[in-house]
Amino acid sequence: MAVIVTGLVLVVAARNGGLGDATKLTTVLGFGVSMMGLAINLYRTSAPEAGSPTSAELLDRNCDQLAVAVREQWQTEWRLRRLQDPDPLQVSWTLAEPWLADQWDDAQDRTALDDHLEHITTVFNRVPAKRLVVLGGPGSGKTVLAVRFTLDLLRDRKSGEPVPVIFSLSSWRPDHESLHDWIAATLATTYQGATWGGELLSARRVLPVLDGLDEIPEPLRAQAMYRLNAELDPGSPVLLTCRTQIYAEEVESGGLFTSAAVAELRPLSFDDACAYLVRTARPVRGTDGQRTTRWDPVLAHVHAHPSSPPSRALRQVLKTPLIVAMARSVYGESTADPAELLDPRFSDPTALEAHLLEAFLPAAFRNSPDADQACRWLGFLATHLERHHLRDLAWWQLRLALPWPIRTLGPILLLGCLAMVISLAAVKTTGPMVPVVTASVLAGVTIGYLVLSRSQTPPSQGPPHDQRRIPLGFILALTIAACLGVVAGSTGDLSFPYGTFTPTGGEWLNSVAIAMTAGLAAAVVLAVMGITGVPLPSAASFARIPRRSSPFHRTLSTAALLLFGCAACLTPALFLPVGSGSIVWAPSAVLITLSAAACLGLLSGLLTVRDRRHASRVRAVGLHVTTQDRRPRRRASRAISQAVAVGLVSGLFLGIAFGLAQASALAIRADRQGDFPKQAVLHSLPDGTRYTVTPNGWWNGRLPGGGKFVRTPGSVHGVVAHDPDGSRYAATASSADDVCTGRTLCTPFYGPIELHLAHGAYGDERVKLPNGDFVGEYDFKNELPSENEHWLYAGDPGPLFRDASVSGLWAGLAIGVISGVAAGLHRWLITPVDISRALSPIASLRTDRTTAATRGIIVFYFGIFGTGLLVTLMHWPDSTYEALVIWGLAGPLALILSAWGWLLTARLWLCGSSRLPWRLMAFLDEAHSRGVLRQVGGVYQFRHARLQEQLAITFNHLTSPERGQ
């Protein structure tokens, strides 16, 4: 790193011509060494201090935090399902058929597995290997047993013992990731701040409760079973649940879970189900004043007529705890009469079960103002999950319910439509090229995003790959940049990069190529930030403004966000188009805006970091938690260095690819054009000067040393201005009143003049007066005919190739440096704190929204401010200003392409089509509180997979075209 920093400083010093000055050289080297020394000191101070907790103490503390978080999460779910009101159903189990289990040495222990729900931990401890597989049919209570097992173990857990954690296997893809990596990643996303999950797993401090092996897609179950046996160490306790039929199929195919006992849940007895329904039903006054319920006559009829089809169907479905819970919700807590269950249309158990599942939703939302629409909304969500074979209702995956173009490019299209509307509204003021350039930039962003997103898949979605390999998407992006460079070089002006003249043809094509390159560069910046690819929510705790924060803090953060939005809209106005397309930089306005934004952002960030560090010293989820150690700083330093390295490589390669392609095309065009226009008569002078005469009488000449000049066809009037500092320059007679003022003396002249341009010295024009003297130029170049002007400033192949290549290199270096530092700064700020708590979907959305806004502000302001510093203070070439367009794009794109931005796009489409409510998260939270959904970390799930399947069937039936007709 020291070599890189020193090398960059030397490059900058060489670019500024400061290596010959010992003072300047010492200064820049001292700056580099000082910064490196500061970084080393910060890194060293991040080492654990004396008296910091040992590894064993940290593990114990982390286990205690995780235990509290898990207990809090599942106790809430237990209460929401009313499993404690009044008592859970008495689900029992027995030992499964012997061929489903591994062989035991002690046969007596095998007979000791029969028991009831409340003794699950006792039975588990009887198994020598501490491995238990719980089987059962759909809705038989496997998940309830897993929750009860977890809560009972946590109740009796002593410090240092493993923490039971429930993991839903529906999100595991065993063909892409190991069991250890998946559990660690799930811990980090489910319990915010639990970045040390992998350490707990390695130390055997986590007891995995793996729920739903049957919910893994069928082709992957065999591989999942193989990973379970191969990756779990002997003696590692595990509880696994699965449907009986699915597990039997896996055993038949060779997928036995070794050293595990296998228990199978028994169906409920009809008497137990009746007793539970009667006890939980609303009491009704009997004829003699005794307590009765609406269930009593129904159950009496079933006992009296057990052979009738409705009675047999009711007996059959009430063997399942899930259906008993549905019956309780539909009839026990409302005015609905269960006598309808004896209707002949419910003689089929399947029809009766479907009726109870369908009636559950109206019963759950019976006192909600959205009762009618809730069934349709949840039916759409169930259909969406079934279509994509999902169980987790993740808010960031709702984009999968959108049509293909919107599902792939929704936020970009949304931002693009807004930009196109603004550009079309301003077309009368800015000209017709603005919409063309805007569309080209968006096209570049779109192409870059599509290409780069193909090579970026999250660990849980794609196979592991070699980090040393260059992603294919990046190679394609470089290829596209090179193609755009060829187009830009083939249509651009040969006066690059100092001329302000447009070519005689292809102006729009050149603008389109450059604009598309800017959009592609913005997509590369997003890739460096890790934004392209499958959107995933941020699990960091950055800038989560607590409700107890001061009004000043909230006002300051709001002001920073508003300033970001205003600056994003007003910054383009600071670049004023003048004349024939030149750009005038308004430094004072920009510096004022950037200074205010930087101060607000820095102050807000410092206050947030202070609050976050303070929060690590207060009680969190029932524990007194202190800052653990300083290893997060060390991880943050690695994140910053890695981000800078990736940014430098990406920016430099992109700039080199475009710059070399453009330089090559320009050099080839200049070489084919020749020294003089074709079909021109060439004249020579004795001193070696060559020239041609244009039809309008102007000379186009070349000097023996390589310089170029143009000569007027006749005599012209002008003045030579003599400034007090001794400089002289020539001006036209029309500019004499402006030049000859104050202490500036002017001498008139009349005669033919020549405008000279030294070889490769663009911008340093000299005027040859009629008397042969050379003076500076003031405004004669503005009087040149367009063809003479274009020929004079057209570069030679060598200088053109050099200038275009260097320009691309510097632009790429600026993009790489700033994007890398911005990415590293963002990663440092969002380093999760060491507080473990269950992350709810609403909290996950709020965290991601705040993180996305912060990231957008950092990218936007730091990019523009950093570019200004590179040009004004470090004297980088003016071509670096082209990066400002990229930062004006990257900031809003970083916000809108976040998981929150994708949700916003999905809401606009789905809510506009009346498929979901606008207040989606509030509705899902209500469904969770009413027991329709269950919360598993940052996602929701339907209460049971059978409920999800039935709601999808009902929704598809109601919305089918045949029914609509």
Side-chain angles (χ1 to χ4, degrees):
M1 179 61 72
V3 173
I4 295 176
V5 173
T6 305
L8 290 177
V9 174
L10 288 175
V11 169
V12 173
R15 178 66 178 81
N16 298 331
L19 290 180
D21 190 335
T23 303
K24 292 183 179 180
L25 180 59
T26 303
T27 301
V28 294
L29 290 177
F31 172 78
V33 174
S34 299
M35 293 302 296
M36 181 52 58
L38 177 60
I40 293 174
N41 289 333
L42 289 176
Y43 180 82
R44 288 177 176 175
T45 56
S46 65
E49 298 176 354
S52 59
T54 63
S55 298
E57 293 173 343
L58 289 176
L59 285 175
D60 291 340
R61 187 177 347 183
N62 293 338
C63 284
D64 293 341
Q65 293 182 50
L66 183 61
V68 172
V70 173
R71 181 170 61 246
E72 182 184 63
Q73 175 190 3
W74 290 108
Q75 279 182 343
T76 301
E77 290 297 316
W78 189 268
R79 290 190 294 267
L80 285 174
R81 299 188 200 182
R82 302 186 65 178
L83 297 176
Q84 86 294 347
D85 181 23
D87 291 310
L89 278 167
Q90 291 301 314
V91 179
S92 59
W93 63 85
T94 186
L95 190 67
E97 296 182 16
W99 70 278
L100 292 175
D102 201 4
Q103 184 176 2
W104 284 11
D105 295 333
D106 192 349
Q108 184 178 0
D109 289 338
R110 294 171 53 88
T111 62
L113 291 182
D114 298 357
D115 217 313
H116 294 79
L117 180 66
E118 61 269 20
H119 300 145
I120 177 61
T121 56
T122 303
V123 173
F124 180 81
N125 291 327
R126 293 173 187 167
V127 180
K130 296 296 186 295
R131 291 187 179 185
L132 179 64
V133 179
V134 178
L135 305 180
S140 58
K142 299 183 295 296
T143 301
V144 173
L145 183 142
V147 174
R148 180 63 182 263
F149 171 78
T150 301
L151 293 177
D152 288 351
L153 277 185
L154 290 173
R155 181 193 60 200
D156 302 329
R157 175 184 175 272
K158 297 179 177 57
S159 180
E161 293 181 350
V163 180
V165 183
I166 299 178
F167 299 96
S168 178
L169 288 172
S170 60
S171 62
W172 183 30
R173 294 297 176 265
D175 57 332
H176 291 161
E177 57 188 336
S178 67
L179 179 67
H180 184 281
D181 293 343
W182 172 73
I183 291 179
T186 305
L187 280 173
T189 55
T190 304
Y191 303 99
Q192 187 176 13
T195 56
W196 24 255
E199 300 175 10
L200 297 186
L201 284 172
S202 300
R204 296 187 181 182
R205 296 296 188 93
V206 174
L207 194 160
V209 181
L210 306 177
D211 185 29
L213 178 65
D214 52 281
E215 295 180 358
I216 297 178
E218 182 178 0
L220 304 179
R221 289 177 194 148
Q223 193 166 1
M225 189 65 71
Y226 171 79
R227 284 191 177 272
L228 287 174
N229 290 324
E231 298 181 20
L232 291 174
D233 297 329
S236 299
V238 179
L239 179 73
L240 176 68
T241 70
C242 184
R243 292 186 182 183
T244 303
Q245 181 179 357
I246 300 298
Y247 190 79
E249 294 174 355
E250 292 303 316
V251 172
E252 288 179 346
S253 61
L256 181 71
F257 190 28
T258 58
S259 303
V262 182
E264 185 175 7
L265 296 176
R266 294 174 178 172
L268 285 175
S269 67
F270 183 67
D271 292 338
D272 289 342
C274 293
Y276 182 81
L277 290 175
V278 170
R279 184 177 182 186
T280 57
R282 180 180 300 178
V284 178
R285 186 177 185 276
T287 55
D288 298 330
Q290 75 276 17
R291 183 190 185 279
T292 185
T293 67
R294 296 181 184 272
W295 277 105
D296 287 295
V298 176
L299 299 177
H301 176 84
V302 173
H303 281 98
H305 306 84
S307 300
S308 64
S311 298
R312 289 200 304 268
L314 191 59
R315 282 178 173 272
Q316 178 66 29
V317 299
L318 291 183
K319 293 180 179 181
T320 305
L322 172 66
I323 303 303
V324 174
M326 298 293 102
R328 173 189 176 180
S329 299
V330 174
Y331 298 107
E333 301 170 357
S334 66
T335 58
D337 192 351
E340 65 178 355
L341 299 179
L342 300 177
D343 191 278
R345 71 178 187 274
F346 297 130
S347 299
D348 183 11
T350 302
L352 178 58
E353 180 179 309
H355 165 72
L356 290 173
L357 290 171
E358 293 173 3
F360 171 65
L361 245 61
F365 284 90
R366 59 183 176 273
N367 57 350
S368 172
D370 299 325
D372 296 334
Q373 296 177 320
C375 298
R376 179 164 49 85
W377 293 337
L378 288 170
F380 171 78
L381 292 173
T383 304
H384 159 68
L385 295 178
E386 285 293 309
R387 182 179 296 117
H388 295 281
H389 307 287
L390 299 174
R391 289 287 180 245
D392 293 341
L393 181 54
W395 56 265
W396 59 90
Q397 290 182 340
L398 282 178
R399 67 183 186 89
L400 299 178
L402 301 174
W404 180 85
I406 304 177
R407 181 173 68 245
T408 307
L409 297 168
I412 297 178
L413 297 177
L414 178 63
L415 193 62
C417 291
L418 179 62
M420 288 302 299
V421 168
I422 295 176
S423 63
L424 290 174
V427 69
K428 293 183 179 180
T429 304
T430 59
M433 281 300 296
V434 172
V436 175
V437 171
T438 302
S440 303
V441 171
L442 294 174
V445 173
T446 301
I447 295 173
Y449 182 81
L450 287 174
V451 169
L452 294 171
S453 62
R454 296 296 180 182
S455 62
Q456 288 192 353
T457 55
S460 60
Q461 301 290 335
H465 58 276
D466 189 354
Q467 298 292 338
R468 295 171 295 180
R469 295 178 57 188
I470 300 177
L472 177 61
F474 185 64
I475 297 177
L476 293 176
L478 295 182
T479 304
I480 296 172
C483 294
L484 293 174
V486 171
V487 175
S490 301
T491 57
D493 201 297
L494 292 178
S495 60
F496 178 92
Y498 300 97
T500 58
F501 321 105
T502 56
T504 56
E507 172 186 356
W508 68 271
L509 191 58
N510 179 262
S511 300
V512 166
I514 295 177
M516 289 184 65
T517 305
L520 180 64
V524 172
V525 172
L526 297 177
V528 174
M529 298 289 295
I531 298 174
T532 56
V534 179
L536 294 175
S538 172
S541 56
F542 174 76
R544 177 67 183 100
I545 303 174
R547 298 183 182 274
R548 63 180 182 275
S549 61
S550 66
F552 172 72
H553 187 182
R554 293 193 295 268
T555 304
L556 187 63
S557 300
T558 303
L561 290 175
L562 292 177
L563 185 58
F564 165 62
C566 294
C569 299
L570 296 179
T571 297
L574 301 176
F575 305 92
L576 308 176
V578 178
S580 58
S582 62
I583 300 298
V584 175
W585 172 249
S588 59
V590 174
L591 287 179
I592 292 174
T593 304
L594 293 177
S595 299
C599 292
L600 275 177
L602 179 61
L603 186 56
S604 179
L606 290 177
L607 288 175
T608 303
V609 172
R610 182 200 63 183
D611 290 344
R612 188 181 66 185
R613 291 178 177 175
H614 175 71
S616 65
R617 295 177 175 86
V618 299
R619 290 185 178 273
V621 295
L623 286 179
H624 182 74
V625 183
T626 58
T627 303
Q628 297 185 359
D629 64 356
R630 300 175 182 265
R631 282 178 293 176
R633 291 186 185 178
R634 186 174 299 178
R635 290 194 296 266
S637 64
R638 288 198 301 266
I640 292 175
S641 62
Q642 292 173 359
V644 172
V646 172
L648 278 173
V649 172
S650 303
L652 281 176
F653 274 88
L654 183 69
I656 291 174
F658 178 83
L660 288 180
Q662 184 185 29
S664 300
L666 288 171
I668 293 173
R669 286 177 57 207
D671 183 67
R672 295 183 61 184
Q673 178 174 293
D675 292 340
F676 296 96
K678 295 180 179 179
Q679 299 178 352
V681 179
L682 184 62
H683 304 275
S684 298
L685 296 177
D687 60 356
T689 300
R690 297 173 299 160
Y691 68 94
T692 61
V693 181
T694 62
N696 56 7
W698 286 76
W699 286 23
N700 292 340
R702 284 184 175 271
L703 300 174
K708 302 168 67 175
F709 70 92
V710 293
R711 182 174 182 177
T712 59
S715 300
V716 297
H717 288 279
V719 295
V720 177
H722 303 263
D723 282 344
D725 59 1
S727 60
R728 298 190 304 162
Y729 51 89
T732 60
S734 59
S735 301
D737 294 339
D738 297 331
V739 174
C740 305
T741 59
R743 300 175 59 186
T744 301
L745 301 179
C746 292
T747 302
F749 67 85
Y750 178 75
I753 64 170
E754 297 176 0
L755 185 62
H756 284 246
L757 189 65
H759 181 65
Y762 303 103
D764 188 20
E765 302 88 350
R766 305 286 290 175
V767 176
K768 183 178 181 181
L769 300 176
N771 61 1
D773 292 342
F774 284 88
V775 296
E777 188 273 339
Y778 182 73
D779 62 344
F780 274 104
K781 64 181 179 183
N782 297 331
E783 304 296 327
L784 295 176
S786 60
E787 61 271 17
N788 298 93
E789 184 181 37
H790 183 68
W791 178 86
L792 176 65
Y793 286 93
D796 294 329
L800 274 176
F801 185 87
R802 178 198 63 202
D803 294 335
S805 301
V806 171
S807 177
L809 175 64
W810 283 109
L813 183 60
I815 295 172
V817 169
I818 298 175
S819 63
V821 175
L825 181 63
H826 171 256
R827 294 179 186 180
W828 173 75
L829 288 175
I830 66 169
T831 299
V833 294
D834 291 322
I835 297 178
S836 176
R837 60 180 182 274
L839 186 65
S840 66
I842 294 180
S844 174
L845 174 61
R846 290 172 178 170
T847 299
D848 186 76
R849 180 178 57 197
T850 306
T851 303
T854 305
R855 179 170 52 199
I857 292 174
I858 291 174
V859 174
F860 183 83
Y861 283 127
F862 188 82
I864 294 180
F865 192 66
T867 302
L869 288 178
L870 290 177
V871 176
T872 57
L873 299 184
M874 305 185 73
H875 305 291
W876 282 30
D878 292 340
S879 59
T880 308
Y881 277 134
E882 298 172 0
L884 291 173
V885 179
I886 299 170
W887 303 119
L889 287 170
L893 285 172
L895 173 62
I896 199 67
L897 283 172
S898 64
W900 171 81
W902 279 99
L903 176 65
L904 176 63
T905 306
R907 289 171 63 192
L908 289 173
W909 181 269
L910 298 176
C911 299
S913 57
S914 301
R915 298 180 184 180
L916 290 176
W918 176 251
R919 299 181 70 251
L920 175 62
M921 299 306 294
F923 169 71
L924 295 179
D925 184 63
E926 180 184 5
H928 174 231
S929 64
R930 293 178 180 272
V932 178
L933 301 177
R934 65 185 181 189
Q935 178 183 316
V936 182
V939 302
Y940 289 114
Q941 293 178 348
F942 278 90
R943 179 168 179 165
H944 195 275
R946 184 67 186 88
L947 176 62
Q948 174 182 314
E949 295 167 0
Q950 187 60 44
L951 289 179
I953 294 173
T954 304
F955 180 82
N956 290 328
H957 176 68
L958 293 175
T959 57
S960 61
E962 294 79 3
R963 186 175 181 84
Q965 295 174 357

